[in-house]
Amino acid sequence: MLGPVLLAASRSDRLRRVVAAAPVTRPVVDRFVAGDALHPALDTVRALTASGLDVTLDHLGEDVTDRATARATRDAYLRLLETLRDDRLGPRAEVSVKLSAFGQALPDGGHDVALANVTEVAELATSIGTTVTLDMEDHTTVDSTLAVLAELRKEHPQTGAVLQSYLFRTEDDARALAVAGSRVRLVKGAYNEPARVAFQNKRDVDKAYVRALRTLFAGEGYPMVGSHDPRIISIAQEFAARYHRPAGDYEFQMLYGIRTAEQRRLADEGERMRIYVPYGADWYGYFMRRLAERPANLAFFLRSFVPAGR
């Protein structure tokens, strides 16, 4: 029951100020966010890649309402990619972007603004040997995001997309994207969606995830299994065997700071394991969605408010 409340809170400016000002917040945020700035995040990236893990980097921010901020997001990703190039991390590190941070939601030509901004990022990513994955946001953005994906893939065919299994439409989208060269990260979904467009029951979401996952593994694209669920991970490995996909013809993805032992186990077994590493000062929305996803995350946060010894 707390999940929808926390998801609603993720877009509250008032609660954002309260949470950000609480002295105990920062240590907990640091569990999920690799720093407020680029260079601390890169220390994390270097450590992860040195240990055999791949990464995807997310410069946090979303729901941009002016063109200047959208351009600033573009510029932050360009700086990130330049640094990855200088550190020769391109083969091990890609970037994930939210198009709402690139101007998608602007009332006047938002789709075109986002496309123009992210195209510059995709061009630089391609030039250094890496790629871009388009994060999926709430259901109102799906058509625009997939249209941007189609445009980017004309010149940058390795551009990836994210699908969310809790949306009714996702099985059809998975079939459309299960084509040669297509990269798809499948997740369960982390936004507060209405019952007219999304499954509300966890069991139904899980079943939909497995159906879409089977489609992706049976297709000709590159599945990216975005899950921390042990059952989903086991099913993905069963699908890999069934459809004769060797390690490296798909990958697992998990969030920075969550189930780190499982990340290590899968990598040690020879699976390709990619860690989603977010960074930046605009961490509140991302942080609240992480709390909403798992009761253990919320309990961890709430315990931080209890003084030691009580």
Side-chain angles (χ1 to χ4, degrees), residues 32 186-188 209 225-234 252-260 262-263 266 273-276 286 290 293-294 297:
F32 304 108
L186 183 64
V187 300
K188 293 183 181 180
Y209 190 106
V225 185
S227 180
H228 305 92
D229 185 333
R231 180 172 173 272
I232 293 294
I233 291 166
S234 178
F252 291 98
Q253 296 192 3
M254 293 187 186
L255 300 173
Y256 174 70
I258 299 179
R259 299 205 72 202
T260 54
E262 180 68 357
Q263 295 170 9
L266 288 168
M273 181 76 245
R274 189 179 302 275
I275 312 305
Y276 188 100
Y286 175 87
R290 299 296 76 77
E293 284 175 343
R294 295 182 68 236
N297 293 343

PDB file of all heavy atoms in Angstrom, residues 32 186-188 209 225-234 252-260 262-263 266 273-276 286 290 293-294 297:
ATOM      1  N   PHE A  32      22.276   4.410  -3.056  1.00  0.00           N
ATOM      2  CA  PHE A  32      21.653   4.216  -4.359  1.00  0.00           C
ATOM      3  C   PHE A  32      22.177   5.151  -5.453  1.00  0.00           C
ATOM      4  O   PHE A  32      21.943   4.900  -6.629  1.00  0.00           O
ATOM      5  CB  PHE A  32      20.134   4.432  -4.248  1.00  0.00           C
ATOM      6  CG  PHE A  32      19.457   3.561  -3.229  1.00  0.00           C
ATOM      7  CD1 PHE A  32      18.993   4.089  -2.045  1.00  0.00           C
ATOM      8  CD2 PHE A  32      19.285   2.205  -3.457  1.00  0.00           C
ATOM      9  CE1 PHE A  32      18.362   3.294  -1.100  1.00  0.00           C
ATOM     10  CE2 PHE A  32      18.656   1.394  -2.522  1.00  0.00           C
ATOM     11  CZ  PHE A  32      18.195   1.938  -1.336  1.00  0.00           C
ATOM     12  N   LEU A 186      14.197  -4.923 -20.301  1.00  0.00           N
ATOM     13  CA  LEU A 186      12.855  -5.170 -19.778  1.00  0.00           C
ATOM     14  C   LEU A 186      12.866  -5.008 -18.265  1.00  0.00           C
ATOM     15  O   LEU A 186      13.681  -5.626 -17.568  1.00  0.00           O
ATOM     16  CB  LEU A 186      12.398  -6.584 -20.143  1.00  0.00           C
ATOM     17  CG  LEU A 186      10.979  -6.962 -19.713  1.00  0.00           C
ATOM     18  CD1 LEU A 186       9.943  -6.095 -20.431  1.00  0.00           C
ATOM     19  CD2 LEU A 186      10.719  -8.451 -19.995  1.00  0.00           C
ATOM     20  N   VAL A 187      11.963  -4.157 -17.760  1.00  0.00           N
ATOM     21  CA  VAL A 187      11.818  -3.946 -16.322  1.00  0.00           C
ATOM     22  C   VAL A 187      10.340  -4.127 -15.962  1.00  0.00           C
ATOM     23  O   VAL A 187       9.488  -4.228 -16.837  1.00  0.00           O
ATOM     24  CB  VAL A 187      12.312  -2.543 -15.900  1.00  0.00           C
ATOM     25  CG1 VAL A 187      13.780  -2.350 -16.256  1.00  0.00           C
ATOM     26  CG2 VAL A 187      11.470  -1.443 -16.543  1.00  0.00           C
ATOM     27  N   LYS A 188      10.054  -4.138 -14.682  1.00  0.00           N
ATOM     28  CA  LYS A 188       8.660  -4.294 -14.269  1.00  0.00           C
ATOM     29  C   LYS A 188       7.913  -2.974 -14.310  1.00  0.00           C
ATOM     30  O   LYS A 188       6.733  -2.928 -14.644  1.00  0.00           O
ATOM     31  CB  LYS A 188       8.595  -4.913 -12.874  1.00  0.00           C
ATOM     32  CG  LYS A 188       9.092  -6.352 -12.850  1.00  0.00           C
ATOM     33  CD  LYS A 188       8.957  -6.993 -11.473  1.00  0.00           C
ATOM     34  CE  LYS A 188       9.488  -8.415 -11.496  1.00  0.00           C
ATOM     35  NZ  LYS A 188       9.383  -9.084 -10.177  1.00  0.00           N
ATOM     36  N   TYR A 209       5.816  -9.904 -17.346  1.00  0.00           N
ATOM     37  CA  TYR A 209       7.270  -9.809 -17.537  1.00  0.00           C
ATOM     38  C   TYR A 209       7.786 -11.081 -18.213  1.00  0.00           C
ATOM     39  O   TYR A 209       8.561 -11.011 -19.187  1.00  0.00           O
ATOM     40  CB  TYR A 209       7.957  -9.604 -16.189  1.00  0.00           C
ATOM     41  CG  TYR A 209       9.432  -9.250 -16.301  1.00  0.00           C
ATOM     42  CD1 TYR A 209       9.866  -7.955 -16.060  1.00  0.00           C
ATOM     43  CD2 TYR A 209      10.381 -10.201 -16.655  1.00  0.00           C
ATOM     44  CE1 TYR A 209      11.217  -7.618 -16.165  1.00  0.00           C
ATOM     45  CE2 TYR A 209      11.717  -9.891 -16.780  1.00  0.00           C
ATOM     46  CZ  TYR A 209      12.129  -8.597 -16.525  1.00  0.00           C
ATOM     47  OH  TYR A 209      13.458  -8.282 -16.650  1.00  0.00           O
ATOM     48  N   VAL A 225      18.015  -7.992 -19.213  1.00  0.00           N
ATOM     49  CA  VAL A 225      17.090  -8.420 -18.163  1.00  0.00           C
ATOM     50  C   VAL A 225      17.251  -7.495 -16.963  1.00  0.00           C
ATOM     51  O   VAL A 225      18.167  -7.658 -16.148  1.00  0.00           O
ATOM     52  CB  VAL A 225      17.352  -9.884 -17.764  1.00  0.00           C
ATOM     53  CG1 VAL A 225      16.301 -10.368 -16.767  1.00  0.00           C
ATOM     54  CG2 VAL A 225      17.396 -10.778 -18.993  1.00  0.00           C
ATOM     55  N   GLY A 226      16.362  -6.528 -16.839  1.00  0.00           N
ATOM     56  CA  GLY A 226      16.433  -5.561 -15.751  1.00  0.00           C
ATOM     57  C   GLY A 226      15.608  -6.024 -14.568  1.00  0.00           C
ATOM     58  O   GLY A 226      14.418  -5.685 -14.456  1.00  0.00           O
ATOM     59  N   SER A 227      16.206  -6.811 -13.696  1.00  0.00           N
ATOM     60  CA  SER A 227      15.458  -7.359 -12.568  1.00  0.00           C
ATOM     61  C   SER A 227      16.404  -7.781 -11.460  1.00  0.00           C
ATOM     62  O   SER A 227      17.525  -8.223 -11.719  1.00  0.00           O
ATOM     63  CB  SER A 227      14.626  -8.568 -13.014  1.00  0.00           C
ATOM     64  OG  SER A 227      13.893  -9.104 -11.926  1.00  0.00           O
ATOM     65  N   HIS A 228      15.911  -7.670 -10.213  1.00  0.00           N
ATOM     66  CA  HIS A 228      16.625  -8.203  -9.053  1.00  0.00           C
ATOM     67  C   HIS A 228      15.928  -9.453  -8.514  1.00  0.00           C
ATOM     68  O   HIS A 228      16.356 -10.014  -7.519  1.00  0.00           O
ATOM     69  CB  HIS A 228      16.680  -7.156  -7.933  1.00  0.00           C
ATOM     70  CG  HIS A 228      17.259  -5.852  -8.368  1.00  0.00           C
ATOM     71  ND1 HIS A 228      16.491  -4.817  -8.837  1.00  0.00           N
ATOM     72  CD2 HIS A 228      18.541  -5.425  -8.408  1.00  0.00           C
ATOM     73  CE1 HIS A 228      17.274  -3.800  -9.154  1.00  0.00           C
ATOM     74  NE2 HIS A 228      18.512  -4.136  -8.912  1.00  0.00           N
ATOM     75  N   ASP A 229      14.857  -9.858  -9.170  1.00  0.00           N
ATOM     76  CA  ASP A 229      14.007 -10.954  -8.710  1.00  0.00           C
ATOM     77  C   ASP A 229      14.694 -12.296  -9.009  1.00  0.00           C
ATOM     78  O   ASP A 229      14.932 -12.622 -10.181  1.00  0.00           O
ATOM     79  CB  ASP A 229      12.664 -10.856  -9.447  1.00  0.00           C
ATOM     80  CG  ASP A 229      11.645 -11.868  -8.969  1.00  0.00           C
ATOM     81  OD1 ASP A 229      12.046 -12.951  -8.478  1.00  0.00           O
ATOM     82  OD2 ASP A 229      10.438 -11.589  -9.104  1.00  0.00           O
ATOM     83  N   PRO A 230      15.012 -13.101  -7.983  1.00  0.00           N
ATOM     84  CA  PRO A 230      15.696 -14.381  -8.228  1.00  0.00           C
ATOM     85  C   PRO A 230      14.938 -15.288  -9.180  1.00  0.00           C
ATOM     86  O   PRO A 230      15.547 -15.989  -9.997  1.00  0.00           O
ATOM     87  CB  PRO A 230      15.796 -14.998  -6.827  1.00  0.00           C
ATOM     88  CG  PRO A 230      15.706 -13.848  -5.886  1.00  0.00           C
ATOM     89  CD  PRO A 230      14.801 -12.855  -6.542  1.00  0.00           C
ATOM     90  N   ARG A 231      13.623 -15.287  -9.108  1.00  0.00           N
ATOM     91  CA  ARG A 231      12.836 -16.150  -9.997  1.00  0.00           C
ATOM     92  C   ARG A 231      12.970 -15.678 -11.437  1.00  0.00           C
ATOM     93  O   ARG A 231      13.121 -16.494 -12.357  1.00  0.00           O
ATOM     94  CB  ARG A 231      11.371 -16.150  -9.566  1.00  0.00           C
ATOM     95  CG  ARG A 231      10.483 -17.021 -10.429  1.00  0.00           C
ATOM     96  CD  ARG A 231       9.082 -17.158  -9.848  1.00  0.00           C
ATOM     97  NE  ARG A 231       8.194 -17.859 -10.761  1.00  0.00           N
ATOM     98  CZ  ARG A 231       7.485 -17.254 -11.700  1.00  0.00           C
ATOM     99  NH1 ARG A 231       7.551 -15.930 -11.825  1.00  0.00           N
ATOM    100  NH2 ARG A 231       6.704 -17.946 -12.509  1.00  0.00           N
ATOM    101  N   ILE A 232      12.914 -14.377 -11.664  1.00  0.00           N
ATOM    102  CA  ILE A 232      13.055 -13.849 -13.023  1.00  0.00           C
ATOM    103  C   ILE A 232      14.441 -14.175 -13.571  1.00  0.00           C
ATOM    104  O   ILE A 232      14.600 -14.554 -14.743  1.00  0.00           O
ATOM    105  CB  ILE A 232      12.815 -12.336 -13.043  1.00  0.00           C
ATOM    106  CG1 ILE A 232      11.353 -12.014 -12.723  1.00  0.00           C
ATOM    107  CG2 ILE A 232      13.238 -11.723 -14.376  1.00  0.00           C
ATOM    108  CD1 ILE A 232      10.354 -12.481 -13.753  1.00  0.00           C
ATOM    109  N   ILE A 233      15.462 -14.027 -12.736  1.00  0.00           N
ATOM    110  CA  ILE A 233      16.832 -14.319 -13.176  1.00  0.00           C
ATOM    111  C   ILE A 233      16.941 -15.782 -13.597  1.00  0.00           C
ATOM    112  O   ILE A 233      17.531 -16.113 -14.646  1.00  0.00           O
ATOM    113  CB  ILE A 233      17.830 -13.983 -12.053  1.00  0.00           C
ATOM    114  CG1 ILE A 233      17.884 -12.466 -11.858  1.00  0.00           C
ATOM    115  CG2 ILE A 233      19.221 -14.531 -12.368  1.00  0.00           C
ATOM    116  CD1 ILE A 233      18.568 -12.031 -10.586  1.00  0.00           C
ATOM    117  N   SER A 234      16.360 -16.684 -12.811  1.00  0.00           N
ATOM    118  CA  SER A 234      16.398 -18.108 -13.142  1.00  0.00           C
ATOM    119  C   SER A 234      15.652 -18.389 -14.451  1.00  0.00           C
ATOM    120  O   SER A 234      16.125 -19.157 -15.299  1.00  0.00           O
ATOM    121  CB  SER A 234      15.778 -18.916 -11.997  1.00  0.00           C
ATOM    122  OG  SER A 234      15.749 -20.282 -12.310  1.00  0.00           O
ATOM    123  N   PHE A 252      22.281  -9.252 -17.938  1.00  0.00           N
ATOM    124  CA  PHE A 252      21.494  -8.872 -16.775  1.00  0.00           C
ATOM    125  C   PHE A 252      21.852  -7.439 -16.380  1.00  0.00           C
ATOM    126  O   PHE A 252      22.998  -7.006 -16.565  1.00  0.00           O
ATOM    127  CB  PHE A 252      21.778  -9.814 -15.603  1.00  0.00           C
ATOM    128  CG  PHE A 252      21.260 -11.207 -15.818  1.00  0.00           C
ATOM    129  CD1 PHE A 252      22.104 -12.221 -16.270  1.00  0.00           C
ATOM    130  CD2 PHE A 252      19.925 -11.498 -15.590  1.00  0.00           C
ATOM    131  CE1 PHE A 252      21.628 -13.501 -16.483  1.00  0.00           C
ATOM    132  CE2 PHE A 252      19.443 -12.784 -15.802  1.00  0.00           C
ATOM    133  CZ  PHE A 252      20.286 -13.789 -16.258  1.00  0.00           C
ATOM    134  N   GLN A 253      20.863  -6.733 -15.854  1.00  0.00           N
ATOM    135  CA  GLN A 253      21.105  -5.383 -15.370  1.00  0.00           C
ATOM    136  C   GLN A 253      20.461  -5.224 -13.995  1.00  0.00           C
ATOM    137  O   GLN A 253      19.331  -5.663 -13.778  1.00  0.00           O
ATOM    138  CB  GLN A 253      20.543  -4.335 -16.331  1.00  0.00           C
ATOM    139  CG  GLN A 253      21.218  -4.340 -17.694  1.00  0.00           C
ATOM    140  CD  GLN A 253      20.867  -3.123 -18.521  1.00  0.00           C
ATOM    141  OE1 GLN A 253      20.154  -2.220 -18.093  1.00  0.00           O
ATOM    142  NE2 GLN A 253      21.387  -3.079 -19.745  1.00  0.00           N
ATOM    143  N   MET A 254      21.211  -4.607 -13.093  1.00  0.00           N
ATOM    144  CA  MET A 254      20.705  -4.315 -11.750  1.00  0.00           C
ATOM    145  C   MET A 254      21.106  -2.909 -11.354  1.00  0.00           C
ATOM    146  O   MET A 254      22.032  -2.315 -11.934  1.00  0.00           O
ATOM    147  CB  MET A 254      21.242  -5.321 -10.725  1.00  0.00           C
ATOM    148  CG  MET A 254      20.746  -6.723 -10.916  1.00  0.00           C
ATOM    149  SD  MET A 254      21.258  -7.799  -9.541  1.00  0.00           S
ATOM    150  CE  MET A 254      20.689  -9.387 -10.158  1.00  0.00           C
ATOM    151  N   LEU A 255      20.413  -2.388 -10.369  1.00  0.00           N
ATOM    152  CA  LEU A 255      20.660  -1.027  -9.904  1.00  0.00           C
ATOM    153  C   LEU A 255      21.850  -0.972  -8.956  1.00  0.00           C
ATOM    154  O   LEU A 255      22.065  -1.885  -8.145  1.00  0.00           O
ATOM    155  CB  LEU A 255      19.422  -0.487  -9.186  1.00  0.00           C
ATOM    156  CG  LEU A 255      18.141  -0.410 -10.031  1.00  0.00           C
ATOM    157  CD1 LEU A 255      16.968  -0.032  -9.136  1.00  0.00           C
ATOM    158  CD2 LEU A 255      18.304   0.577 -11.169  1.00  0.00           C
ATOM    159  N   TYR A 256      22.583   0.094  -9.052  1.00  0.00           N
ATOM    160  CA  TYR A 256      23.690   0.354  -8.132  1.00  0.00           C
ATOM    161  C   TYR A 256      23.183   0.311  -6.689  1.00  0.00           C
ATOM    162  O   TYR A 256      22.179   0.929  -6.341  1.00  0.00           O
ATOM    163  CB  TYR A 256      24.290   1.730  -8.441  1.00  0.00           C
ATOM    164  CG  TYR A 256      25.344   2.196  -7.483  1.00  0.00           C
ATOM    165  CD1 TYR A 256      26.597   1.595  -7.432  1.00  0.00           C
ATOM    166  CD2 TYR A 256      25.096   3.266  -6.619  1.00  0.00           C
ATOM    167  CE1 TYR A 256      27.565   2.026  -6.558  1.00  0.00           C
ATOM    168  CE2 TYR A 256      26.068   3.717  -5.741  1.00  0.00           C
ATOM    169  CZ  TYR A 256      27.300   3.092  -5.712  1.00  0.00           C
ATOM    170  OH  TYR A 256      28.265   3.525  -4.836  1.00  0.00           O
ATOM    171  N   GLY A 257      23.865  -0.463  -5.859  1.00  0.00           N
ATOM    172  CA  GLY A 257      23.544  -0.504  -4.439  1.00  0.00           C
ATOM    173  C   GLY A 257      22.514  -1.535  -4.039  1.00  0.00           C
ATOM    174  O   GLY A 257      22.198  -1.666  -2.855  1.00  0.00           O
ATOM    175  N   ILE A 258      21.967  -2.276  -5.001  1.00  0.00           N
ATOM    176  CA  ILE A 258      20.925  -3.255  -4.685  1.00  0.00           C
ATOM    177  C   ILE A 258      21.380  -4.648  -5.113  1.00  0.00           C
ATOM    178  O   ILE A 258      21.783  -4.851  -6.250  1.00  0.00           O
ATOM    179  CB  ILE A 258      19.593  -2.894  -5.364  1.00  0.00           C
ATOM    180  CG1 ILE A 258      19.105  -1.527  -4.853  1.00  0.00           C
ATOM    181  CG2 ILE A 258      18.538  -3.965  -5.104  1.00  0.00           C
ATOM    182  CD1 ILE A 258      17.810  -1.061  -5.467  1.00  0.00           C
ATOM    183  N   ARG A 259      21.368  -5.596  -4.172  1.00  0.00           N
ATOM    184  CA  ARG A 259      21.742  -6.996  -4.392  1.00  0.00           C
ATOM    185  C   ARG A 259      23.147  -7.117  -4.986  1.00  0.00           C
ATOM    186  O   ARG A 259      23.370  -7.807  -5.993  1.00  0.00           O
ATOM    187  CB  ARG A 259      20.712  -7.702  -5.276  1.00  0.00           C
ATOM    188  CG  ARG A 259      19.307  -7.750  -4.685  1.00  0.00           C
ATOM    189  CD  ARG A 259      18.510  -8.907  -5.235  1.00  0.00           C
ATOM    190  NE  ARG A 259      19.001 -10.184  -4.698  1.00  0.00           N
ATOM    191  CZ  ARG A 259      18.807 -11.359  -5.300  1.00  0.00           C
ATOM    192  NH1 ARG A 259      18.172 -11.428  -6.457  1.00  0.00           N
ATOM    193  NH2 ARG A 259      19.269 -12.466  -4.746  1.00  0.00           N
ATOM    194  N   THR A 260      24.076  -6.465  -4.348  1.00  0.00           N
ATOM    195  CA  THR A 260      25.446  -6.456  -4.872  1.00  0.00           C
ATOM    196  C   THR A 260      26.075  -7.851  -4.870  1.00  0.00           C
ATOM    197  O   THR A 260      26.872  -8.178  -5.761  1.00  0.00           O
ATOM    198  CB  THR A 260      26.324  -5.489  -4.078  1.00  0.00           C
ATOM    199  OG1 THR A 260      26.254  -5.818  -2.686  1.00  0.00           O
ATOM    200  CG2 THR A 260      25.853  -4.055  -4.263  1.00  0.00           C
ATOM    201  N   GLU A 262      24.512 -10.646  -5.451  1.00  0.00           N
ATOM    202  CA  GLU A 262      23.958 -11.335  -6.612  1.00  0.00           C
ATOM    203  C   GLU A 262      24.594 -10.824  -7.900  1.00  0.00           C
ATOM    204  O   GLU A 262      24.845 -11.599  -8.834  1.00  0.00           O
ATOM    205  CB  GLU A 262      22.438 -11.147  -6.649  1.00  0.00           C
ATOM    206  CG  GLU A 262      21.739 -11.822  -7.817  1.00  0.00           C
ATOM    207  CD  GLU A 262      21.770 -13.347  -7.764  1.00  0.00           C
ATOM    208  OE1 GLU A 262      22.381 -13.922  -6.839  1.00  0.00           O
ATOM    209  OE2 GLU A 262      21.187 -13.971  -8.670  1.00  0.00           O
ATOM    210  N   GLN A 263      24.856  -9.540  -7.975  1.00  0.00           N
ATOM    211  CA  GLN A 263      25.572  -8.995  -9.128  1.00  0.00           C
ATOM    212  C   GLN A 263      26.908  -9.710  -9.307  1.00  0.00           C
ATOM    213  O   GLN A 263      27.270 -10.141 -10.405  1.00  0.00           O
ATOM    214  CB  GLN A 263      25.800  -7.491  -8.941  1.00  0.00           C
ATOM    215  CG  GLN A 263      24.541  -6.656  -8.904  1.00  0.00           C
ATOM    216  CD  GLN A 263      24.802  -5.220  -8.475  1.00  0.00           C
ATOM    217  OE1 GLN A 263      25.957  -4.795  -8.365  1.00  0.00           O
ATOM    218  NE2 GLN A 263      23.752  -4.461  -8.227  1.00  0.00           N
ATOM    219  N   LEU A 266      26.538 -13.503 -10.433  1.00  0.00           N
ATOM    220  CA  LEU A 266      26.243 -13.697 -11.848  1.00  0.00           C
ATOM    221  C   LEU A 266      27.472 -13.414 -12.711  1.00  0.00           C
ATOM    222  O   LEU A 266      27.765 -14.150 -13.661  1.00  0.00           O
ATOM    223  CB  LEU A 266      25.073 -12.805 -12.267  1.00  0.00           C
ATOM    224  CG  LEU A 266      23.708 -13.245 -11.727  1.00  0.00           C
ATOM    225  CD1 LEU A 266      22.668 -12.156 -11.936  1.00  0.00           C
ATOM    226  CD2 LEU A 266      23.260 -14.544 -12.391  1.00  0.00           C
ATOM    227  N   MET A 273      26.985  -8.775 -16.702  1.00  0.00           N
ATOM    228  CA  MET A 273      26.250  -8.077 -15.643  1.00  0.00           C
ATOM    229  C   MET A 273      26.531  -6.589 -15.760  1.00  0.00           C
ATOM    230  O   MET A 273      27.684  -6.160 -15.668  1.00  0.00           O
ATOM    231  CB  MET A 273      26.728  -8.604 -14.285  1.00  0.00           C
ATOM    232  CG  MET A 273      26.041  -8.009 -13.076  1.00  0.00           C
ATOM    233  SD  MET A 273      24.390  -8.688 -12.825  1.00  0.00           S
ATOM    234  CE  MET A 273      23.412  -7.210 -13.101  1.00  0.00           C
ATOM    235  N   ARG A 274      25.469  -5.804 -15.976  1.00  0.00           N
ATOM    236  CA  ARG A 274      25.618  -4.353 -16.106  1.00  0.00           C
ATOM    237  C   ARG A 274      24.924  -3.657 -14.939  1.00  0.00           C
ATOM    238  O   ARG A 274      23.778  -3.987 -14.608  1.00  0.00           O
ATOM    239  CB  ARG A 274      25.026  -3.860 -17.430  1.00  0.00           C
ATOM    240  CG  ARG A 274      25.356  -2.384 -17.728  1.00  0.00           C
ATOM    241  CD  ARG A 274      24.769  -1.929 -19.058  1.00  0.00           C
ATOM    242  NE  ARG A 274      25.224  -2.717 -20.183  1.00  0.00           N
ATOM    243  CZ  ARG A 274      26.354  -2.493 -20.840  1.00  0.00           C
ATOM    244  NH1 ARG A 274      27.144  -1.492 -20.479  1.00  0.00           N
ATOM    245  NH2 ARG A 274      26.675  -3.264 -21.862  1.00  0.00           N
ATOM    246  N   ILE A 275      25.609  -2.688 -14.352  1.00  0.00           N
ATOM    247  CA  ILE A 275      25.072  -1.953 -13.197  1.00  0.00           C
ATOM    248  C   ILE A 275      24.591  -0.576 -13.645  1.00  0.00           C
ATOM    249  O   ILE A 275      25.319   0.160 -14.312  1.00  0.00           O
ATOM    250  CB  ILE A 275      26.148  -1.796 -12.101  1.00  0.00           C
ATOM    251  CG1 ILE A 275      26.843  -3.137 -11.833  1.00  0.00           C
ATOM    252  CG2 ILE A 275      25.507  -1.243 -10.825  1.00  0.00           C
ATOM    253  CD1 ILE A 275      25.930  -4.275 -11.480  1.00  0.00           C
ATOM    254  N   TYR A 276      23.361  -0.260 -13.282  1.00  0.00           N
ATOM    255  CA  TYR A 276      22.766   1.040 -13.584  1.00  0.00           C
ATOM    256  C   TYR A 276      23.231   2.015 -12.510  1.00  0.00           C
ATOM    257  O   TYR A 276      22.848   1.917 -11.341  1.00  0.00           O
ATOM    258  CB  TYR A 276      21.245   0.902 -13.583  1.00  0.00           C
ATOM    259  CG  TYR A 276      20.472   2.102 -14.048  1.00  0.00           C
ATOM    260  CD1 TYR A 276      19.964   2.161 -15.350  1.00  0.00           C
ATOM    261  CD2 TYR A 276      20.201   3.168 -13.206  1.00  0.00           C
ATOM    262  CE1 TYR A 276      19.223   3.246 -15.776  1.00  0.00           C
ATOM    263  CE2 TYR A 276      19.465   4.258 -13.615  1.00  0.00           C
ATOM    264  CZ  TYR A 276      18.963   4.290 -14.916  1.00  0.00           C
ATOM    265  OH  TYR A 276      18.230   5.372 -15.327  1.00  0.00           O
ATOM    266  N   TYR A 286      14.286   9.742  -8.350  1.00  0.00           N
ATOM    267  CA  TYR A 286      14.865   8.400  -8.476  1.00  0.00           C
ATOM    268  C   TYR A 286      14.888   7.705  -7.124  1.00  0.00           C
ATOM    269  O   TYR A 286      14.504   6.535  -7.002  1.00  0.00           O
ATOM    270  CB  TYR A 286      16.281   8.516  -9.040  1.00  0.00           C
ATOM    271  CG  TYR A 286      17.021   7.203  -9.111  1.00  0.00           C
ATOM    272  CD1 TYR A 286      16.892   6.370 -10.216  1.00  0.00           C
ATOM    273  CD2 TYR A 286      17.847   6.773  -8.064  1.00  0.00           C
ATOM    274  CE1 TYR A 286      17.558   5.152 -10.282  1.00  0.00           C
ATOM    275  CE2 TYR A 286      18.515   5.562  -8.121  1.00  0.00           C
ATOM    276  CZ  TYR A 286      18.365   4.758  -9.226  1.00  0.00           C
ATOM    277  OH  TYR A 286      19.022   3.552  -9.275  1.00  0.00           O
ATOM    278  N   ARG A 290      12.965   4.139  -5.773  1.00  0.00           N
ATOM    279  CA  ARG A 290      13.674   2.980  -5.219  1.00  0.00           C
ATOM    280  C   ARG A 290      13.044   2.570  -3.890  1.00  0.00           C
ATOM    281  O   ARG A 290      12.936   1.382  -3.590  1.00  0.00           O
ATOM    282  CB  ARG A 290      15.157   3.295  -5.018  1.00  0.00           C
ATOM    283  CG  ARG A 290      15.928   3.650  -6.264  1.00  0.00           C
ATOM    284  CD  ARG A 290      16.033   2.546  -7.274  1.00  0.00           C
ATOM    285  NE  ARG A 290      14.844   2.290  -8.072  1.00  0.00           N
ATOM    286  CZ  ARG A 290      14.451   3.043  -9.102  1.00  0.00           C
ATOM    287  NH1 ARG A 290      15.134   4.109  -9.454  1.00  0.00           N
ATOM    288  NH2 ARG A 290      13.369   2.720  -9.777  1.00  0.00           N
ATOM    289  N   GLU A 293       9.789   0.639  -4.563  1.00  0.00           N
ATOM    290  CA  GLU A 293       9.885  -0.674  -5.194  1.00  0.00           C
ATOM    291  C   GLU A 293       9.989  -1.822  -4.203  1.00  0.00           C
ATOM    292  O   GLU A 293       9.426  -2.893  -4.417  1.00  0.00           O
ATOM    293  CB  GLU A 293      11.110  -0.718  -6.119  1.00  0.00           C
ATOM    294  CG  GLU A 293      10.898   0.018  -7.420  1.00  0.00           C
ATOM    295  CD  GLU A 293      12.164   0.065  -8.258  1.00  0.00           C
ATOM    296  OE1 GLU A 293      13.259  -0.176  -7.717  1.00  0.00           O
ATOM    297  OE2 GLU A 293      12.041   0.352  -9.443  1.00  0.00           O
ATOM    298  N   ARG A 294      10.706  -1.598  -3.107  1.00  0.00           N
ATOM    299  CA  ARG A 294      10.962  -2.714  -2.197  1.00  0.00           C
ATOM    300  C   ARG A 294      10.806  -2.254  -0.750  1.00  0.00           C
ATOM    301  O   ARG A 294      11.436  -1.283  -0.334  1.00  0.00           O
ATOM    302  CB  ARG A 294      12.383  -3.263  -2.383  1.00  0.00           C
ATOM    303  CG  ARG A 294      12.643  -3.896  -3.720  1.00  0.00           C
ATOM    304  CD  ARG A 294      14.050  -4.465  -3.796  1.00  0.00           C
ATOM    305  NE  ARG A 294      14.239  -5.612  -2.910  1.00  0.00           N
ATOM    306  CZ  ARG A 294      15.172  -5.692  -1.972  1.00  0.00           C
ATOM    307  NH1 ARG A 294      16.003  -4.704  -1.765  1.00  0.00           N
ATOM    308  NH2 ARG A 294      15.284  -6.775  -1.230  1.00  0.00           N
ATOM    309  N   ASN A 297      14.016  -1.513   1.139  1.00  0.00           N
ATOM    310  CA  ASN A 297      14.658  -0.215   0.925  1.00  0.00           C
ATOM    311  C   ASN A 297      14.054   0.845   1.834  1.00  0.00           C
ATOM    312  O   ASN A 297      14.762   1.672   2.416  1.00  0.00           O
ATOM    313  CB  ASN A 297      14.510   0.220  -0.533  1.00  0.00           C
ATOM    314  CG  ASN A 297      15.274  -0.668  -1.490  1.00  0.00           C
ATOM    315  OD1 ASN A 297      16.160  -1.405  -1.080  1.00  0.00           O
ATOM    316  ND2 ASN A 297      14.924  -0.599  -2.768  1.00  0.00           N
TER     317      ASN A 297
END
